[in-house]
Amino acid sequence: MSEFVNENADIFEDEPKKQNIVIRVLKWICEAIILIICAILFYRCVSSADHAITDKVLMNEAFYKAYEENPEELKVEKYGMQSPWVSIREGRLIEFNQLYYIPLLQQMQFSIKYNEDLTNGEYIDIPFKLVLIDEMGNEYNEYWYETAQKERYKYIRVCFENIDIYSDDVDENGQEIRHTYKLKMEMIDENGQYNYLCTYNLYDGKTVCRDVKYTVKN
C-alpha cells in the first residue's frame, strides 16, 4: 500500500515547466506597447485641453476698485456664442470662446485661439488689430489683453472697454432690445502692414446668461 502511495506522489510532484523565453519576451513587448499607447492617449487628453487663460476673468485697477467698493454689484455674466470657429486661408482656423460681460464696468471679454504658424515670424505685440463694431456701425478699439501659449496654439484673452450692450429700447412685444457686436480682425504682414483677416459675430443681443464665479487676487 505504501509503495502505491509513493508511486502516485511521484506523479503529482513534477516540477512546473519553465515558460519559453520567446513567449516571455513577446509578453513583455505587448505590455510595453499597451503602456506606451496609454501614455500617448493620456498626453493627448491633457495637451488638447485649452490653456487656463481661456476662461479667465481679466481684472484691472477699475475692477479692483469696484470690488472694494461694492463686491455684490460687480457681476460677471457669461453669454453663449455662435459657432466658435472661423475658417481662414489654407484651412487655418481661429477660435473664439468664453464671452463675458461686466455691466458695472461696461467691459466685454473673450478669448482668441489660433495656430502659431498662422503668422509669419514672432512679434513682441500681438499680430492682430481688433475692432468691435455695433449694429449702427460705431467702432470701438479700446482694449487690453493677456497672452499665453500651449503646445502649438497661442491664446489672447481680450477685454474691450466702454461697451454698453443695453439700448434702453423694447420691441413690439415689450422685450428688451440690446446692441449687437461683431469683431473685425486685421493681421500684420511681413511688411508691417495690417490686412483684413476675418469678421466674427461676437454678441447677437441675446439676454440669456449666467453669472461667472471669480476670485479676486491683488
Side-chain angles (χ1 to χ4, degrees):
M1 180 68 179
S2 60
E3 291 179 358
F4 180 78
V5 172
N6 288 338
E7 288 177 358
N8 282 277
D10 292 340
I11 294 174
F12 293 104
E13 287 179 0
D14 287 345
E15 294 183 2
K17 295 181 180 179
K18 293 184 177 179
Q19 198 173 45
N20 188 295
I21 186 64
V22 176
I23 296 177
R24 293 172 65 186
V25 170
L26 289 175
K27 286 181 63 178
W28 292 338
I29 293 175
C30 291
E31 291 174 356
I33 292 174
I34 292 173
L35 288 175
I36 292 173
I37 292 174
C38 291
I40 291 174
L41 291 175
F42 177 77
Y43 171 77
R44 294 285 300 200
C45 291
V46 173
S47 62
S48 62
D50 285 332
H51 193 282
I53 198 175
T54 304
D55 57 2
K56 180 180 180 179
V57 177
L58 297 183
M59 302 177 186
N60 59 359
E61 290 303 320
F63 191 101
Y64 296 133
K65 182 179 179 181
Y67 183 80
E68 290 176 359
E69 293 177 352
N70 197 345
E72 290 77 16
E73 293 296 323
L74 189 58
K75 296 185 180 296
V76 179
E77 301 172 343
K78 178 179 179 180
Y79 289 86
M81 304 178 72
Q82 299 182 24
S83 176
W85 292 101
V86 173
S87 180
I88 314 299
R89 58 181 179 273
E90 298 176 354
R92 287 290 181 246
L93 301 172
I94 293 184
E95 182 180 0
F96 305 90
N97 48 40
Q98 302 299 338
L99 176 63
Y100 297 167
Y101 184 68
I102 308 175
L104 189 63
L105 302 178
Q106 294 189 339
Q107 292 180 347
M108 182 172 284
Q109 303 183 7
F110 57 92
S111 294
I112 301 172
K113 174 184 176 181
Y114 63 99
N115 196 295
E116 64 180 353
D117 64 2
L118 178 67
T119 59
N120 296 318
E122 294 291 332
Y123 301 90
I124 298 177
D125 202 359
I126 62 174
F128 306 111
K129 184 179 293 185
L130 310 175
V131 179
L132 278 186
I133 306 173
D134 65 20
E135 74 281 2
M136 296 177 289
N138 299 313
E139 297 188 354
Y140 306 84
N141 52 23
E142 183 182 354
Y143 61 89
W144 48 283
Y145 56 85
E146 292 184 16
T147 61
Q149 180 165 356
K150 184 176 182 181
E151 299 296 329
R152 65 184 186 277
Y153 293 106
K154 290 189 175 183
Y155 299 82
I156 307 172
R157 185 69 181 166
V158 185
C159 178
F160 270 86
E161 300 280 2
N162 303 315
I163 303 299
D164 189 3
I165 66 174
Y166 305 106
S167 66
D168 298 325
D169 291 327
V170 295
D171 60 19
E172 63 276 7
N173 298 318
Q175 299 295 319
E176 178 187 22
I177 297 177
R178 296 191 179 191
H179 295 299
T180 61
Y181 291 90
K182 60 183 178 182
L183 174 70
K184 184 178 75 172
M185 293 184 64
E186 296 180 350
M187 187 173 72
I188 196 170
D189 61 19
E190 59 273 10
N191 299 317
Q193 302 296 318
Y194 284 93
N195 302 300
Y196 174 79
L197 182 65
C198 68
T199 298
Y200 176 71
N201 292 321
L202 185 67
Y203 177 62
D204 56 8
K206 291 183 178 179
T207 61
V208 178
C209 65
R210 66 175 179 83
D211 290 344
V212 177
K213 295 182 179 180
Y214 61 86
T215 302
V216 175
K217 296 180 180 179
N218 272 318

